[in-house]
Amino acid sequence: MRVLVTRPASDAGGIVGRLAALGIEAVVDPLIEIVLAPPETAAVEGVTATIVTSRNALRALAASPAIDAARAMPLFVVGPGTEAEARRLGFDCVTAGAGTARDLVPVVAARAGAGPVAYLAGETLAFDLAAALEAARCAVRQTTVYRQVAADRLIPATEALLRQGAIDAVILMSPRTAETYVRLVHDAGLQQAVRGLVHCCISPRVASALEPLRLRDVLAAAHPTAEDLLALVAAQRHTPPRAG
């Protein structure tokens, strides 16, 4: 089985390794590039806790002078993958949510304390965490620490494999990536070539972004975690391809 991995280059390695352990070959074509904007120390001064909802935000923080101040206070993260990265960077007091920014709202509101919290965010957000926390009476200071830059086209080798029918499934892990995939597939005239592929998405929201392609098999993981997404992909090894 050969799977197209569309994650940013900074995140694709872990997925590729885990797919290899399952006996699945991966082809990597990052549809989004992450550009970091490390925050100044002022971003985390005068707050009671810090929030990050992606490993990209942690990478930006790790490259900034604010890292030591942030390590000295509680850190709220979106899920187990981000928690593992935070602990690798030396954070001791880490609280993880269930996998999405929305799930993190009651956790932060209940435990952050009376003061404001620092939210280190991306430029494009699928969910307005700051607004949800403000509605829950938790003051938030939001700072943009990275942005996503979409690819202009598919890598030629990827395009060739899709035309040849040499890809079995596609992994998509964000709405922005799915939207970019739709655009690049359309630009390359590959709508028919990808229609019969299995598209494995980390959430229903990601899956819905693929609707313009009218794909046959669009599957969403049971929970928005890499573990559940990989289980979904692995299950396709034993599923006969659809005819027609």
Side-chain angles (χ1 to χ4, degrees):
M1 182 179 186
R2 182 182 286 144
V3 175
L4 175 60
V5 176
T6 60
R7 293 206 85 182
S10 56
D11 293 318
I15 292 290
V16 170
R18 293 167 77 174
L19 288 170
L22 294 169
I24 298 172
E25 180 185 352
V27 173
V28 179
D29 191 342
L31 301 189
I32 298 290
E33 178 187 357
I34 302 300
V35 179
L36 301 181
E40 298 297 328
T41 303
V44 297
E45 288 178 341
V47 299
T48 59
T50 304
I51 306 169
V52 299
T53 53
S54 85
R55 278 175 279 194
N56 294 315
L58 279 175
R59 291 177 185 125
L61 181 57
S64 85
I67 182 68
D68 290 335
R71 283 196 191 108
M73 67 182 76
L75 178 70
F76 293 91
V77 300
V78 73
T82 317
E83 178 183 10
E85 179 70 7
R87 294 194 183 281
R88 187 187 70 78
L89 291 172
F91 287 86
D92 294 321
C93 185
V94 184
T95 301
T100 70
R102 190 183 300 274
D103 295 329
L104 205 52
V105 173
V107 178
V108 175
R111 303 184 192 177
V117 297
Y119 176 29
L120 306 183
E123 182 180 56
T124 304
L125 301 172
F127 173 72
D128 193 343
L129 176 61
L133 286 171
E134 293 281 1
R137 300 180 182 275
C138 181
V140 181
R141 184 193 301 161
Q142 181 171 322
T143 302
T144 298
V145 296
Y146 70 92
R147 61 189 178 91
Q148 300 174 332
V149 179
D152 292 328
R153 60 167 296 176
L154 294 167
I155 293 173
T158 302
E159 185 175 331
L161 288 171
L162 290 171
R163 290 193 190 282
Q164 296 162 12
I167 298 289
D168 301 297
V170 182
I171 289 178
L172 296 150
M173 298 185 69
S174 78
R176 180 77 183 278
T177 301
E179 291 163 5
T180 302
Y181 176 77
V182 169
R183 174 174 58 81
L184 298 184
V185 164
H186 182 271
D187 290 350
L190 290 167
Q191 296 94 318
Q192 283 299 124
V194 305
R195 192 152 289 160
L197 304 185
V198 178
H199 289 74
C200 298
C201 304
I202 200 166
S203 72
R205 178 165 182 171
V206 175
S208 69
L210 297 175
E211 289 177 1
L213 291 177
R214 299 182 180 180
L215 302 167
R216 285 204 207 60
D217 287 310
V218 179
L219 309 175
H223 301 95
T225 64
E227 288 70 23
D228 278 19
L229 180 61
L230 288 168
L232 184 66
V233 175
Q236 305 316 303
R237 293 176 300 178
H238 311 296
T239 302
R242 289 190 181 187

